[in-house]
Amino acid sequence: MSKKLVAYFSAGGVTADAAKKIAQGANADLYEIRPEVSYTAADLNWQDKNSRSSVEMNDRTFRPALADKNAKAEEYDVIFLGFPIWWYTAPTIINTFLESYEISGKTIILFATSGSTGFDKSAADLKVSVDDNTVIKEGIVIHGKQSAEEWKNWVDSLGL
């Protein structure tokens, strides 16, 4: 049986809720990816081209600092990696997370929350942060809330 981690970044709590249910359904450890400087509502205003999130997402090389590096991601075989979709992709803090750990050879299964879009460029944009021995798989994009049972059924369908 593989050792699993659910690592997630959540700006408004929706992704956190999903991550907790996935961790329960997968019998996995849970880790919150937190920025060194928390995002404010003004930082997350996607309609303001000068907001922190807009500036970060317009420069795909930007790497927001992490509050800590305590995930011990190298100890896991499978990492469920969750985030809200920003500008049709993963927030750059997810790249920071991937680049902060030795995760070569791991399987990473993405899950995301979104008001309306899918993964779009997420897997490709994250692949630049891992080596060729690391597998990134698109898992599921959530548009709304799922029950704990629905999450468990999804995890079970992966055959891990």
Side-chain angles (χ1 to χ4, degrees):
M1 181 166 254
S2 61
K3 189 170 179 188
K4 299 179 232 31
L5 173 68
V6 175
Y8 70 94
F9 165 69
S10 186
V14 176
T15 307
D17 181 61
K20 290 170 187 170
K21 290 175 182 170
I22 292 170
Q24 182 181 22
N27 193 26
D29 294 331
L30 186 65
Y31 175 78
E32 182 180 5
I33 300 167
R34 295 178 301 113
E36 186 174 71
V37 177
S38 297
Y39 290 91
T40 66
D43 291 336
L44 299 172
N45 182 357
W46 60 273
Q47 295 176 322
D48 178 358
K49 292 182 182 187
N50 294 315
S51 73
R52 178 175 161 198
S53 59
S54 295
V55 170
E56 290 176 6
M57 296 307 292
N58 282 323
D59 179 1
R60 295 295 309 159
T61 64
F62 189 84
R63 299 295 184 261
L66 300 173
D68 66 65
K69 295 179 184 170
N70 299 331
K72 299 181 183 175
E74 59 280 347
E75 296 178 6
Y76 297 88
D77 305 305
V78 176
I79 300 170
F80 291 90
L81 186 56
F83 48 87
I85 298 288
W86 286 5
W87 289 260
Y88 305 100
T89 192
T92 55
I93 194 167
I94 301 300
N95 296 87
T96 305
F97 174 81
L98 291 171
E99 293 166 7
S100 296
Y101 296 95
E102 175 51 53
I103 56 170
S104 181
K106 309 293 181 195
T107 297
I108 297 170
I109 302 171
L110 304 179
F111 69 96
T113 55
S114 173
S116 61
T117 62
F119 279 116
D120 293 304
K121 304 178 290 179
S122 298
D125 287 344
L126 295 174
K127 188 66 179 162
V128 302
S129 296
V130 299
D131 67 19
D132 291 338
N133 295 319
T134 304
V135 176
I136 295 181
K137 295 181 179 182
E138 290 183 358
I140 190 169
V141 177
I142 302 104
H143 305 288
K145 293 193 178 240
Q146 305 268 22
S147 70
E149 184 178 343
E150 289 171 311
W151 284 118
K152 182 165 182 3
N153 291 340
W154 173 69
V155 169
D156 290 346
S157 76
L158 299 173
L160 301 173

